[in-house]
Amino acid sequence: MESKAGTTETRSNITASDGEQVAALESLQFTDEFHRLILAPTSDNVTSLTALLELPASRALELLHSPASAKLIAAPAPSFEALKGNFLFPSNTTLIDQAARSSVFAGGVNNTNNKSNAPETTSNNSTLNLEKAVKSEPAETESSQPLVSDPAVEKRNFKRKDHEKKAKDSTKKSKTAANDSSVGPEMLPYVHVRARRGEATDSHSLAERARREKINARMKLLQELVPGCNKISGTALVLDEIINHVQSLQNQVEFLSMRLAAVNPRIDFNLNSIFTTESGSLPDNKFPSMVMPLIWPEVQVNGNKQQHQQQWQFDALQQPVWGREVCNNYITPENSLLSYDSSANSATLHANQTENGAMKSEVVPTVRLVERLL
Amino acid sequence: MMNTPQQVKNPSSSLKSRFITRFLGALTKITAEDPISSSSPTRIFQRYRRIKVASNKSMAYSVRSRRIWSRAMLSRFRSRRSAFSGRRSSVKTTNCTTSPPPALIKVTINEKKTAKGGLDMQTDELRELVPGGEAMDVCNLLDETAHYIKCLTTQVQVMRKIVDFYHLSK
């Protein structure tokens, strides 16, 4: 029991760091632990997992609401058996009671019920869509293995029956009944699932199904994230779109950093001045863009005029040269950007050259920049 | 321009603001080190590289270790930095933190796109795109991809705003 709980805990902790959804979906593969853990929020071993699972309840909702989702998240019996040797099932009665009383799948449905009554009522009341998978019947063994919680089993079974209109295996029903009868309010370590009609009940296929469902759920999320993916059907095409999107984003980062490299020499990002600048000074910073080029040259007159004139010419010469050279070496869009910046950059160049103007030019643009960015 | 009073946002509250802070700081450093007079194309290219690295680095640091991809990226930075300092290489532009140019990735993969087999090919492509993707299973890979896309979008958004800002303000 400890090892199992420990493993689950480890798993849940790991997944916790990665994301609630991962935790939820991964845990669903181990239905019995999952079942117990999510229903026992006060247990020390499972707090992290339950906390995680509470969050993704909405995710689970989404998942389970999808009509295409099969009996996902079924803990296959053989894999379960494989685990059996390694894991012990918590016989914590408090866990079991809480499991009986609450149901994460119910999405917060009243958790006051317990025992066999609870599942029935909750199953009827709760959103049946939530109860899609969670149970896998051990095909091979029956009472020889430790039993899943009776109320849990009944709950799942009832919900499944209500929700699923497909034919069930009679064997599963009998097994469930046997389990029910043999177990009292104790929570059984197994969670039983119902296979859909025509679906293989093989443990391997159950695991596969669970895995596929997880992946499909994540694909849906990605589809929402990537624009234009909603209309595409088929995993391969959607993945193509996603890949293209990521590539385009990375390219955009490159392009923009190139632009910044071209524009940047004129600007100093003085963060200190940003954060020390009070809001009161902001109205002063609303120089119209026309004014700035005019102001700074005036300041220039007093200062290093020649130097700046040289800079002017230097800029004027360099910009077109940049444009050409850049065009040859780099990406074409940069060419237009550089030439565009030439006139602007020369003005700011002056601003930055002056001592007095430098500080102002730093502060003003950066403050406004930060405003706009945030 | 901005006519509204400055809206003070908690700098540590959002990924975006964290990224902005770091990135602007990095930009300050980069622009400060480069004398304006030596703006030859070579310098621009070097600056471009540094800015790109700074951008990715800022984003990775803003995400900290919460994501596999950010952890992979950060470890990549650190290893490169340690290797770099060890070798004392003068080539500072080798800090290409992103994966090899996407064009290369497309070229190297030529398998046919079947309904099932294509998934393997595409997941491999995705693994190459997302930092640290090689070691992830498909499930995690999709998760990480989603978060990575979100962060990349923020990055692009902020950088574009910076560029536009200086575009317009001049």
Side-chain angles (χ1 to χ4, degrees), chain A residues 17-19 21-22 26 211 214-215 218-219 222 225-226 235-237 239-240 242-247 249-254 256-271 275 277 279 282 286 289 292-293 311 314 318 322 325 330 337 340-341 344 348-349 353 365-366 368-374, chain B residues 1-6 9 16-17 20-21 23-25 27-28 31-32 36-37 39-42 44-45 47-48 51-52 55-56 66-68 71 98-99 102 105-106 113-114 119 122-123 125-126 129 137-140 142-143 145-146 148-150 152-153 155-156 158-170:
Chain A
S17 63
D18 289 346
Q21 297 173 7
V22 179
E26 288 211 348
R211 187 175 152 272
K214 257 196 331 190
I215 292 177
R218 307 234 163 117
M219 288 288 300
L222 274 174
L225 215 50
V226 176
T235 325
L237 297 174
L239 273 180
D240 275 343
I242 293 169
I243 289 171
N244 285 337
H245 193 245
V246 172
Q247 285 174 349
L249 283 176
Q250 286 176 344
N251 285 341
Q252 284 181 45
V253 168
E254 295 206 17
L256 287 171
S257 62
M258 177 78 80
R259 286 181 70 170
L260 278 178
V263 174
N264 253 351
R266 323 302 180 194
I267 293 96
D268 286 328
F269 301 86
N270 194 333
L271 285 181
F275 294 124
T277 302
S279 59
L282 287 179
K286 305 202 173 53
S289 54
M292 277 180 67
Q311 293 292 347
F314 182 79
Q318 283 300 96
W322 282 354
E325 286 184 289
Y330 313 124
L337 296 170
Y340 198 8
D341 288 333
T348 46
L349 176 61
Q353 289 298 324
T366 43
R368 284 195 284 170
L369 169 62
V370 172
E371 284 174 16
R372 294 182 63 166
L373 288 178
L374 287 177
Chain B
M1 288 303 186
M2 291 286 290
N3 293 322
T4 59
Q6 185 175 21
K9 283 194 186 176
K16 195 174 176 184
S17 43
I20 289 174
T21 314
F23 185 52
L24 286 183
L27 275 180
T28 316
T31 56
I36 300 173
S37 57
S39 298
S40 63
T42 323
I44 295 183
F45 191 67
R47 203 155 42 220
Y48 142 72
I51 291 178
K52 184 170 73 170
S55 174
N56 290 328
R66 287 198 296 269
R67 286 278 155 182
I68 303 180
R71 289 199 289 268
T98 57
S99 54
I105 298 172
K106 280 283 188 192
K113 294 189 182 184
T114 57
L119 286 188
Q122 277 132 340
T123 49
E125 277 195 57
L126 211 49
L129 284 177
D137 58 335
V138 181
C139 215
N140 282 336
L142 294 179
D143 259 355
T145 307
Y148 186 55
I149 286 178
K150 178 184 138 199
L152 274 181
T153 318
Q155 209 174 333
V156 165
V158 169
M159 288 175 78
R160 186 168 283 141
K161 276 191 183 171
I162 296 179
V163 171
D164 287 344
F165 176 81
Y166 287 104
H167 228 53
L168 297 174
S169 64
K170 306 318 169 207

Side-chain angles (χ1 to χ4, degrees), chain A residues 374, chain B residues 9-19 62:
Chain A
L374 287 177
Chain B
K9 283 194 186 176
N10 189 359
S12 61
S13 63
S14 76
L15 171 79
K16 195 174 176 184
S17 43
R18 288 198 302 271
F19 170 69
S62 301

Side-chain angles (χ1 to χ4, degrees), chain B residues 43-73:
Chain B
R43 295 299 300 219
I44 295 183
F45 191 67
Q46 285 175 353
R47 203 155 42 220
Y48 142 72
R49 279 238 165 119
R50 292 177 70 190
I51 291 178
K52 184 170 73 170
V53 169
S55 174
N56 290 328
K57 221 173 184 178
S58 307
M59 181 51 78
Y61 271 109
S62 301
V63 178
R64 288 285 168 185
S65 300
R66 287 198 296 269
R67 286 278 155 182
I68 303 180
W69 69 265
S70 68
R71 289 199 289 268
M73 211 180 225

Side-chain angles (χ1 to χ4, degrees), chain A residues 172-187:
Chain A
K172 291 193 185 291
K173 279 187 190 174
S174 61
K175 280 177 188 170
T176 313
N179 285 337
D180 291 350
S181 57
S182 54
V183 183
E186 299 298 311
M187 181 139 145

Side-chain angles (χ1 to χ4, degrees), chain B residues 57-113:
Chain B
K57 221 173 184 178
S58 307
M59 181 51 78
Y61 271 109
S62 301
V63 178
R64 288 285 168 185
S65 300
R66 287 198 296 269
R67 286 278 155 182
I68 303 180
W69 69 265
S70 68
R71 289 199 289 268
M73 211 180 225
L74 290 174
S75 71
R76 219 188 284 179
F77 286 127
R78 290 186 188 126
S79 67
R80 194 172 284 116
R81 191 176 9 153
S82 63
F84 163 67
S85 60
R87 290 177 311 180
R88 287 281 171 197
S89 169
S90 61
V91 182
K92 287 197 176 187
T93 57
T94 52
N95 293 345
C96 187
T97 58
T98 57
S99 54
L104 294 179
I105 298 172
K106 280 283 188 192
V107 170
T108 53
I109 298 175
N110 292 323
E111 292 123 66
K112 58 179 166 71
K113 294 189 182 184

